[in-house]
Amino acid sequence: MARTLKDLRPVYVVGIGWHRYQNPSDTPYVTLGVTAIREALGDAGIEWPTVESAYVATALLGMASGRPMLRHLGATGLPLSHVENASASGSTAFRQACIEVASGLTDVSLAVGVDKRNPVRREGTGIDNLAEDAIAQFTHFSLLTNEYAHRHKVSFEDIARVAVKNHRNGARNRNAQRQQERSLEEVLGGRKVAGSLTPLQCTPVGEGAAAVIVASEDGIRRLGIDAARAIRVVGSTARSERVYAAGLGFDAVLTKETTTIALEEAQVTPRDLDIIELHDAFTVEELHYIENIGLCREGEGVHLLKEGALDIGGRCAVNSSGGLIAMGHPIGPTGIGQIGEIALQLRGEAGPRQHPNARTGLAHMVGVGAVCYVHILQRP
Amino acid sequence: MENQLLKPTLYTPAGALLGGRCTCGHVFFPMQTHGCEVCGRYGADLQPMTLSGRGKLLSATIVHLHADKARATPFTIGKIALAEGPVVRTLLLDRDREIAPGTPMAARLVPIGETGLDLRFAPEG
């Protein structure tokens, strides 16, 4: 019988760090990456040579970008792998690091995400298509926005309120790409991209880095890491898309499927969740995902949003970091940055954006493919 | 000179779509023999099946901005559940009109450029 992460050795997040997500610049990716790793090492209070393996998440840097970066920390000879899984690259690297520690192969492992905004290249499959070259990511989510608005009799203005909340959160996050509060009028203004989607309702893909160090209890003891600040990973689940009935959105169904398994593994219910970081590359996604994670029934997300239940200080703070819309989505780092935000919140170290009494957090990421990753973290 | 289909492996001059069917019953578009997404059968187990090009609109959206400057905006993308099962996303004939979900749609060929013909969906009738 296959086992889950929770059946293996306990794994803890012990160090987190970032290089701010930002608009494309001349900063080399090496600078972005080592900045985040050094901050995570400092946060854990450990030295680089104690890290036994590294997973480098990147989607847009090309082949073997990790070693030219990591060598500047001291070439310790540690095993190194690169992880590419579209938007979920960082989540995947984090899961691999957790699995390695949980299995007992290492006591301390690193997941680091780093990316620059380079063109996406995808090889053809040998199967032609009608007009995929005309369909950008935002077009897919504009179609979903229209479907959602039509099915649930919800206005585009109400869907856009997701962006108002997430810009407000991002304004309190020094690592966010967008750090400015925005009114509903501002969010709805500007040029329409597709359908009702405006630029402030879409993620600004930029560059940056995020790093997370995970450790076993043996590692924490041996290296004298502060156990009171360690956050346990109590669930880790990954799934990919199956064939769903026509009309069922794969993003939503895949999220439901993956989250259900993760909640079961962690033995928590949606009501127990204090913090959720989810893939809000476009406003409508946040509503789809909170409904499929189980915070409320389908079509009721807007009610929670409007009554402030998703705000910091509300029932469950959703995207307290600012989410992909405000914190940003540099691809490789994004899923790792989510874990960092949840760890900050569960430790009570989130400063101006601290959600009171946060004990349990869930990180959700989808990636083109489609793949879905869900992690659940808990303060001991 | 006769007008050329831009993508003759995907549709016929009459506007039918060139799909396929697996021996397991799964109907897909376009035709391919790499393998069935439901059961994994491949090769001769996957046979061509012509799809009517009719279906129901699930959603549509007007695209106002597009990275490719050669593609004039606005244009409209629709998601259509074909009568035989597969869902396709492609260009609609109306470039700037919102069509309501649930509308019956049909494929037709329209002139593109000097001598080309390409497939577009429009409300049936």
Side-chain angles (χ1 to χ4, degrees):
Chain A
M1 173 74 179
R3 289 185 285 178
T4 66
L5 187 79
K6 211 183 174 186
D7 298 327
L8 307 175
R9 290 202 304 175
V11 184
Y12 298 85
V13 172
V14 297
I16 56 181
W18 285 269
H19 182 291
R20 184 188 168 180
Y21 301 172
Q22 59 193 19
N23 292 327
S25 75
D26 293 335
T27 312
Y29 81 87
V30 174
T31 308
L32 303 176
V34 296
T35 302
I37 298 169
R38 286 182 179 131
E39 188 171 295
L41 289 167
D43 181 55
I46 61 174
E47 300 294 330
W48 173 243
T50 64
V51 176
E52 296 162 69
S53 69
Y55 293 87
V56 179
T58 176
L60 303 175
L61 294 181
M63 191 167 79
S65 50
R67 171 47 210 173
M69 172 176 76
L70 295 181
R71 74 191 186 96
H72 297 291
L73 298 163
T76 61
L78 87 174
L80 152 67
S81 351
H82 296 81
V83 177
E84 188 278 301
N85 215 0
S87 289
S89 297
S91 316
T92 311
F94 175 69
R95 178 170 152 86
Q96 294 308 118
C98 289
I99 290 171
E100 193 167 15
V101 168
S103 72
L105 291 182
T106 62
D107 279 323
V108 181
S109 290
L110 167 78
V112 57
V114 59
D115 252 319
K116 300 278 289 180
R117 191 167 77 188
N118 292 319
V120 174
R121 183 186 166 277
R122 296 187 77 194
E123 178 77 13
T125 60
I127 303 171
D128 205 357
N129 59 76
L130 286 172
E132 286 300 314
D133 58 324
I135 304 176
Q137 272 296 86
F138 60 73
T139 312
H140 170 72
F141 289 103
S142 177
L143 285 165
L144 271 189
T145 303
N146 290 356
E147 251 175 294
Y148 187 89
H150 184 262
R151 186 179 313 142
H152 301 302
K153 311 275 178 277
V154 169
S155 71
F156 294 132
E157 288 71 23
D158 280 346
I159 295 172
R161 288 174 196 275
V162 168
V164 176
K165 171 178 68 69
N166 293 352
H167 279 98
R168 185 166 61 234
N169 293 347
R172 304 181 204 173
N173 183 353
R174 66 182 173 86
N175 291 311
Q177 183 170 341
R178 289 166 163 172
Q179 299 185 22
Q180 196 181 335
E181 292 209 29
R182 298 288 188 174
S183 66
L184 184 57
E185 291 65 35
E186 284 176 287
V187 165
L188 292 169
R191 250 182 112 179
K192 297 256 194 306
V193 180
S196 67
L197 279 179
T198 49
L200 290 177
Q201 294 188 67
C202 307
T203 182
V205 173
E207 62 179 35
V212 163
I213 296 167
V214 290
S216 66
E217 288 173 354
D218 284 351
I220 290 173
R221 268 193 302 273
R222 180 160 52 79
L223 298 172
I225 294 169
D226 181 1
R229 292 173 71 244
I231 300 298
R232 183 158 177 203
V233 185
V234 290
S236 172
T237 302
R239 300 279 301 162
S240 63
E241 184 180 342
R242 297 182 294 128
V243 179
Y244 306 114
L248 281 183
F250 67 85
D251 318 80
V253 182
L254 181 56
T255 290
K256 185 174 218 153
E257 211 172 274
T258 311
T259 308
T260 303
I261 300 169
L263 290 170
E264 165 83 23
E265 177 185 344
Q267 292 179 304
V268 300
T269 70
R271 286 221 151 262
D272 299 322
L273 298 172
D274 303 301
I275 300 285
I276 296 176
E277 286 283 306
L278 54 75
H279 184 280
D280 63 326
F282 303 91
T283 38
V284 72
E285 288 188 88
E286 182 164 313
L287 300 171
H288 263 298
Y289 299 144
I290 59 162
E291 292 166 10
N292 284 281
I293 286 168
L295 280 196
C296 60
R297 281 188 300 210
E298 242 188 272
E300 290 181 356
V302 161
H303 302 307
L304 291 189
L305 182 65
K306 286 173 86 171
E307 70 193 33
L310 311 179
D311 290 351
I312 293 167
R315 188 179 119 197
C316 172
V318 177
N319 287 323
S320 57
S321 68
L324 278 61
I325 284 177
M327 179 155 185
H329 183 27
I331 315 289
T334 313
I336 294 171
Q338 289 183 321
I339 300 295
E341 172 69 12
I342 292 173
L344 268 187
Q345 291 282 353
L346 301 191
R347 286 172 177 175
E349 296 176 357
R353 60 179 194 287
Q354 180 64 47
H355 181 68
N357 305 316
R359 177 161 187 272
T360 305
L362 180 148
H364 159 274
M365 187 56 72
V366 289
V368 168
V371 297
C372 184
Y373 278 70
V374 172
H375 286 95
I376 299 178
L377 280 72
Q378 223 160 31
R379 153 160 67 83
Chain B
M1 198 177 102
E2 205 163 312
N3 285 349
Q4 298 288 311
L5 299 185
L6 288 190
K7 296 187 172 178
T9 60
L10 298 183
Y11 45 76
T12 70
L17 294 172
L18 299 172
R21 189 175 194 277
C22 178
T23 50
C24 79
H26 182 57
V27 178
F28 51 89
F29 173 81
M31 175 58 192
Q32 52 89 11
T33 53
H34 287 338
C36 172
E37 199 174 357
V38 169
C39 71
R41 287 185 181 88
Y42 62 97
D45 278 320
L46 307 180
Q47 287 295 318
M49 175 178 170
T50 302
L51 310 177
S52 63
R54 278 195 295 275
K56 195 175 77 171
L57 188 73
L58 295 173
S59 180
T61 191
I62 301 170
V63 177
H64 305 283
L65 286 176
H66 197 269
D68 179 3
K69 300 290 173 235
R71 192 173 278 285
T73 53
F75 59 88
T76 305
I77 296 290
K79 194 156 89 176
I80 297 119
L82 298 175
E84 295 86 355
V87 175
V88 297
R89 293 189 309 180
T90 191
L91 294 157
L92 302 187
L93 184 61
D94 284 294
R95 297 185 72 91
D96 56 2
R97 186 163 68 97
E98 290 274 1
I99 301 169
T103 304
M105 305 289 284
R108 65 171 81 164
L109 293 181
V110 299
I112 299 292
E114 299 278 296
T115 59
L117 283 175
D118 198 18
L119 188 106
R120 297 287 184 274
F121 276 85
E124 210 168 11

